[in-house]
């Protein structure tokens, strides 16, 4: 199996026909047809259903697709690594990041990164752990920055904590229960939750359970802390939010911290990468700048609080 055959398979998958893929990649149609047939002979299986309007991957092709994407991504990283080690400042870095981490860390980190790599293309995917990790494992991302659960490590991944800060119960300014001091006073409060159950943003479920209060009243599940904070700032809902976001985030003037004395967990934002795959020099530089910014932000937020 040759790498060019894998590129051709992906091109036909993307464009839907040999004719369109050949035109997009600057090849002749007979050459691409021959390349695909050789790939199918090597694998011993047909990869496409052919019909009057074009081609689409069959069940075998769909199973081969993530492997093909992984090979192409790793080939690109290998080329970028060698070029950057020669002193070139070109290439691509693809990373994933949660919305809160992006608001808190991205702008200064990228600004410093640009001083060393002004011409490297950056591609960012927004999401949380459950949506970013499949992309990271498949090789579509160099690294991801998102909330993590340090108590459930993945043996395929390595995580370095960037921000660890306490969670607090947050409410809008002048909320009727802004002076509450115990969780049991919040039994009737409706909560917004930043992520699916079992993820760090949904820890209100564990907090209520450990306090013997049963399940909290939850009417909104969002896909991140920014959406959750916006809901809290404009309603009577409450949420568990990290102190760093309240102290330095976009909505800090609209949120209050409820002085709950019950123990609350920490919120950890980590930088996650694959255990077996080193970063390219450019990706390592960007990751280091995110880590540097997180350290600076932690110092500033402690001073604010």
């Amino acid at each position: 199996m040759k790498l060019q055959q894998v590129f051709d398979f992906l091109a036909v998958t993307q464009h839907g026909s040999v004719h369109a893929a050949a035109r997009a990649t600057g090849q002749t149609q007979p050459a691409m047809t021959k390349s695909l047939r050789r790939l199918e002979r090597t694998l011993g299986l047909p990869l496409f259903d052919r019909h009057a309007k074009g081609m689409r991957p069959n069940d075998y092709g769909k199973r081969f697709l993530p492997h093909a994407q992984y090979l192409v991504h790793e080939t690109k990283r290998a080329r970028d690594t060698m070029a950057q080690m020669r002193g070139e400042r070109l290439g691509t870095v693809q990373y994933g990041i949660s919305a809160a981490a992006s608001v808190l860390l991205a702008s200064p980190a990228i600004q410093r990164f640009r001083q060393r790599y002004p011409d490297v293309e950056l591609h960012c995917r927004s999401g949380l752990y459950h949506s970013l990790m499949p992309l990271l494992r498949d090789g579509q991302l160099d690294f991801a920055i998102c909330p993590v659960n340090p108590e459930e490590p993945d043996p395929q991944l390595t995580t370095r904590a960037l921000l660890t800060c306490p969670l607090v119960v947050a409410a809008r300014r002048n909320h009727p229960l802004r002076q509450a001091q115990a969780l049991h006073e919040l039994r009737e409060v409706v909560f917004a939750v930043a992520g699916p159950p079992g993820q760090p943003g949904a820890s209100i479920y564990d907090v209520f359970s450990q306090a013997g209060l049963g399940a909290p009243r939850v009417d909104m599940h969002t896909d991140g802390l920014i959406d959750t904070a916006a809901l809290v700032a404009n309603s009577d809902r409450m949420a568990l939010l990290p102190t760093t976001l309240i102290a330095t985030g976009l909505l800090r003037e609209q949120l209050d911290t409820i002085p709950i004395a019950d123990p609350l967990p920490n919120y950890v934002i980590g930088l996650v990468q694959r255990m077996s795959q080193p970063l390219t020099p450019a990706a390592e530089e960007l990751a280091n700048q995110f880590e540097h910014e997180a350290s600076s932000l932690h110092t500033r937020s402690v001073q604010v609080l």
Side-chain angles (χ1 to χ4, degrees):
M1 180 171 57
K2 296 182 178 180
L3 189 59
Q4 184 59 50
Q5 296 168 353
V6 178
F7 278 103
D8 292 341
F9 165 80
L10 290 174
V12 174
T13 298
Q14 177 182 356
H15 294 284
S17 73
V18 171
H19 175 73
R23 184 174 54 191
T25 59
Q27 300 184 61
T28 65
Q29 186 169 336
M32 181 162 285
T33 298
K34 183 182 293 185
S35 174
L36 291 176
R37 287 175 177 170
R38 286 177 175 172
L39 176 61
E40 290 177 325
R41 281 201 302 270
T42 298
L43 298 175
L45 293 165
L47 299 175
F48 291 96
D49 288 328
R50 292 156 170 87
H51 51 87
K53 294 184 179 180
M55 300 166 62
R56 58 174 174 265
N58 58 21
D59 288 343
Y60 302 123
K62 291 175 183 177
R63 288 294 296 272
F64 181 66
L65 179 59
H67 297 286
Q69 292 171 329
Y70 181 85
L71 288 171
V72 169
H73 290 312
E74 291 310 307
T75 299
K76 180 67 166 59
R77 284 194 186 91
R79 290 173 178 170
D80 285 354
T81 296
M82 296 299 102
Q84 290 161 15
M85 292 183 72
R86 290 195 304 267
E88 297 180 17
R89 292 292 187 257
L90 301 174
T92 303
V93 177
Q94 301 185 85
Y95 70 98
I97 192 167
S98 64
S102 183
V103 168
L104 295 171
L105 306 176
S107 182
I110 292 172
Q111 184 176 1
R112 288 192 298 270
F113 169 81
R114 283 295 179 213
Q115 296 174 7
R116 293 198 60 190
Y117 291 92
D119 299 319
V120 168
E121 292 185 15
L122 297 181
H123 296 264
C124 174
R125 295 285 294 270
S126 181
L128 295 174
Y129 188 92
H130 68 284
S131 59
L132 295 177
M133 290 310 105
L135 302 177
L136 181 62
R137 294 188 187 97
D138 289 346
Q140 297 183 51
L141 299 176
D142 292 292
F143 61 84
I145 299 173
C146 58
V148 297
N149 186 351
E151 297 179 1
E152 297 181 4
D154 187 320
Q156 299 180 35
L157 306 173
T158 179
T159 302
R160 39 178 154 158
L162 298 186
L163 283 173
T164 300
C165 54
L167 284 170
V168 293
V169 178
R172 66 170 174 84
R173 287 289 169 90
N174 299 317
H175 192 285
L177 292 175
R178 60 186 179 276
Q179 300 299 328
Q181 299 182 19
L183 280 172
H184 68 79
E185 298 178 61
L186 308 180
R187 284 178 174 173
E188 300 305 315
V189 169
V190 176
F191 283 83
V193 172
Q199 297 296 318
S203 54
I204 188 65
Y205 289 102
D206 292 335
V207 168
F208 262 57
S209 176
Q210 292 168 9
L213 299 175
R217 296 181 62 192
V218 175
D219 76 334
M220 287 293 298
H221 289 83
T222 74
D223 203 26
L225 291 175
I226 302 301
D227 291 337
T228 299
L231 283 168
V232 169
N234 293 283
S235 72
D236 281 339
R237 296 181 183 87
M238 293 186 182
L240 286 185
L241 296 176
T243 54
T244 302
L245 183 65
I246 297 176
T248 60
L250 297 174
L251 298 169
R252 61 183 177 274
E253 300 300 328
Q254 301 178 49
L255 296 172
D256 269 336
T257 297
I258 308 302
I260 298 299
D262 299 76
L264 299 174
N266 288 328
Y267 190 84
V268 181
I269 293 176
L271 188 149
V272 190
Q273 65 185 88
R274 286 168 293 157
M275 182 78 72
S276 60
Q277 192 63 42
L279 298 176
T280 66
E284 184 66 42
E285 174 67 19
L286 182 59
N288 288 340
Q289 291 300 339
F290 273 111
E291 187 169 20
H292 173 78
E293 183 58 26
S295 178
S296 299
L297 175 63
H298 178 72
T299 300
R300 296 197 303 270
S301 64
V302 168
Q303 292 172 348
V304 170
L305 294 173

